[in-house]
Amino acid sequence: MKAMYSTRLFLLTLGLVVAGNNVLLAEPKSGYEYIKDETRALQDDDFDNPGMLTVDRGLELFNSLLPGASKRCANCHQQDGEGLDSKSIARYPVVERSTQTITTLQDRIIACTERTGVKALAPDDKNLVALQTYVRHLARGERVAVDTEGLDALLARGEKLYTTRYGLIDMACQHCHVFYPGTMIRGQHISEGMTNGFPAYRLDIGEITTVQQRVQQCLNLMRAEPFASGSEELRLFELYMTVRSNGLAIETPAVRY
Amino acid sequence: MHLARTCSLVVALFFSGLAVAGSGEAQVPVEDYCEWQVTDYEIKEPLCSLKGDSKRGRDIVSDSGRGNCIACHTLPLKHISVYGTIGPSLVDIGKRLNEGQLRLRVADTRQINPMSIMPGFYRHPSLINRPDRRYIGRTFLTAQQVEDVVAYLKALK
């Protein structure tokens, strides 16, 4: 066992050094493959999946006026978002190449709600997270498809964040999610830290959780000072991690530990 | 929903967190850091010249707010049935490593393997990147706790 892990560690390290960007895994695995059978059953049944409550709430908000709004999302995107294209939802985060600006799905929704007359929603606003969950859910089954053309500089910054050690525990994301997926940290299987299930329902805290909130939670786990909600760092994390998830089917709302 | 609750309870019990802060712990005042030296891949002198207690060490290795070694290692503890599988088993580690070697592994294993996932339990606090405010200036374990853990491991033969 030990020999196997150290060989793997060695090869991965080599990969990081030689390829620079080690983001494109040949065969990324969804967190779904690492969770317990009961958790899978819970995710697979829309009646039992606790994340579906947030999807329903998001749908309701989509069709109604948000506080302060003069228009509904549905005014531009049709009732229930019929006018939205699931393929294009699966391409988020998108990047404006000339300015290297990252727009996450959440950023897009904030911009849209501002257009309906609402003042900018905070990244952790419950209504915003519900809308985001509903919209991503519309693309369930689509493959994550971030266009990586011209992203080298941003991905290199994301990778830097992903391979830096944080906090008193002094570990980097890669330590758990690149070197040790499949092993047990106590009773918990470590996964590759993919984003295809997010926003996901977390059993541990009993709440729907965005990718960026999950990163903050892992940083808390490491007794580190997490990056602030809405920060450029969390946007870079999300971009980098979603590129790693390219090709995986969207599962929103996934159920995860 | 009922299932969801049961599941989460079970999971929460299993993985009470690598890092769930021992709530009382952060209140304890910050201690002065004792420098240590590596010779022949060992830290030969006890940290701050303290003497370890293996019984206290046994409690620390399974305490999720302190050492939490069982998150990654198997140990011969009767009251614990679930161990992590990230690191090698330590059930008879006292046969393989002497006291000074054990101390270096626990204090700062990266002196041996710079890529190691294993936390350094007694590295200089200034080396820690972005510590949570409650932990600024602190080591993961105190010098006394490191000595207690070393005393415990040494006896595993």
Side-chain angles (χ1 to χ4, degrees):
Chain A
M1 284 297 267
K2 199 176 165 194
M4 190 182 96
Y5 292 136
S6 21
T7 315
R8 199 155 149 222
L9 188 99
F10 173 72
L11 289 174
L12 283 161
T13 319
L14 204 69
L16 282 171
V17 175
V18 176
N21 274 325
N22 188 38
V23 284
L24 298 171
L25 303 178
E27 275 180 70
K29 284 208 190 96
S30 170
Y32 188 82
E33 302 198 30
Y34 297 92
I35 53 181
K36 298 189 165 83
D37 289 345
E38 308 96 90
T39 314
R40 273 189 212 158
L42 202 59
Q43 172 173 330
D44 291 344
D45 186 331
D46 278 352
F47 289 99
D48 287 343
N49 182 334
M52 287 306 287
L53 290 174
T54 306
V55 169
D56 292 345
R57 172 88 186 117
L59 167 63
E60 209 179 289
L61 291 165
F62 197 93
N63 289 329
S64 55
L65 286 173
L66 291 170
S70 56
K71 274 195 212 142
R72 308 158 213 275
C73 307
N75 289 131
C76 293
H77 302 291
Q78 298 175 26
Q79 187 73 8
D80 303 350
E82 293 273 349
L84 289 169
D85 171 17
S86 59
K87 290 230 159 16
S88 120
I89 294 168
R91 283 198 283 268
Y92 277 82
V94 294
V95 174
E96 169 56 49
R97 299 303 192 272
S98 60
T99 56
Q100 296 281 296
T101 319
I102 302 170
T103 304
T104 63
L105 189 58
Q106 183 176 75
D107 295 331
R108 173 68 76 235
I109 295 171
I110 294 174
C112 276
T113 50
E114 280 186 288
R115 260 186 268 156
T116 69
V118 176
K119 76 171 196 306
L121 295 166
D124 299 321
D125 182 282
K126 289 249 184 319
N127 285 347
L128 176 62
V129 172
L131 278 169
Q132 183 185 347
T133 307
Y134 176 65
V135 172
R136 189 70 168 175
H137 172 72
L138 289 175
R140 185 161 73 169
E142 284 296 345
R143 304 271 160 191
V144 177
V146 181
D147 178 5
T148 56
E149 213 33 59
L151 292 195
D152 289 0
L154 289 175
L155 292 180
R157 287 172 65 199
E159 181 160 284
K160 182 87 201 311
L161 288 166
Y162 204 76
T163 54
T164 298
R165 295 182 190 255
Y166 302 98
L168 198 61
I169 309 269
D170 212 16
M171 286 181 196
C173 316
Q174 66 167 351
H175 282 116
C176 286
H177 297 297
V178 177
F179 298 156
Y180 290 99
T183 58
M184 306 288 272
I185 186 147
R186 203 68 205 285
Q188 204 58 45
H189 269 289
I190 294 180
S191 75
E192 295 175 355
M194 295 297 170
T195 65
N196 58 306
F198 284 79
Y201 183 86
R202 286 201 60 206
L203 296 166
D204 182 34
I205 54 173
E207 265 181 52
I208 206 88
T209 306
T210 65
V211 174
Q212 297 192 13
Q213 287 167 339
R214 191 65 181 89
V215 176
Q216 290 176 320
Q217 290 158 7
C218 272
L219 285 165
N220 274 328
L221 186 84
M222 291 188 272
R223 300 190 198 178
E225 179 68 27
F227 294 102
S229 298
S231 61
E232 180 67 2
E233 283 90 351
L234 287 181
R235 236 178 280 277
L236 285 162
F237 265 114
E238 180 166 352
L239 177 69
Y240 177 79
M241 290 157 59
T242 310
V243 168
R244 288 187 80 218
S245 316
N246 260 349
L248 293 174
I250 292 172
E251 295 172 20
T252 311
V255 181
R256 295 288 189 268
Y257 165 71
Chain B
M1 282 318 280
H2 173 67
L3 183 58
R5 235 172 288 128
T6 325
C7 248
S8 93
L9 182 69
V10 169
V11 171
L13 284 174
F14 271 161
F15 181 61
S16 37
L18 183 64
V20 177
S23 41
E25 192 192 19
Q27 262 75 293
V28 177
V30 176
E31 284 179 12
D32 285 341
Y33 178 80
C34 297
E35 300 291 341
W36 41 264
Q37 255 191 358
V38 182
T39 25
D40 314 327
Y41 296 100
E42 287 181 46
I43 302 177
K44 298 194 197 244
E45 302 299 325
L47 301 179
C48 316
S49 311
L50 291 163
K51 188 169 162 24
D53 176 309
S54 71
K55 281 209 197 67
R56 283 198 308 251
R58 191 187 55 202
D59 293 339
I60 294 166
V61 295
S62 61
D63 179 341
S64 60
R66 296 189 287 170
N68 203 16
C69 315
I70 56 173
C72 299
H73 295 285
T74 304
L75 282 162
L77 295 166
K78 293 204 179 60
H79 61 294
I80 303 282
S81 55
V82 186
Y83 297 92
T85 61
I86 293 177
S89 165
L90 302 178
V91 287
D92 58 358
I93 191 67
K95 279 191 201 154
R96 276 182 289 135
L97 300 179
N98 68 28
E99 183 181 319
Q101 290 169 326
L102 287 169
R103 190 173 287 114
L104 178 58
R105 249 66 163 206
V106 179
D108 188 5
T109 205
R110 264 183 272 160
Q111 302 275 335
I112 303 163
N113 171 11
M115 292 297 287
S116 184
I117 186 175
M118 179 167 146
F121 290 89
Y122 202 81
R123 279 161 59 82
H124 197 286
S126 68
L127 298 174
I128 303 297
N129 177 32
R130 291 183 75 85
D132 177 298
R133 274 183 222 103
R134 286 169 300 166
Y135 302 107
I136 291 171
R138 291 174 196 279
T139 49
F140 197 146
L141 291 178
T142 63
Q144 182 63 60
Q145 289 169 335
V146 171
E147 289 308 320
D148 293 345
V149 168
V150 169
Y152 166 72
L153 295 177
K154 201 172 69 170
L156 295 179
K157 294 192 182 177

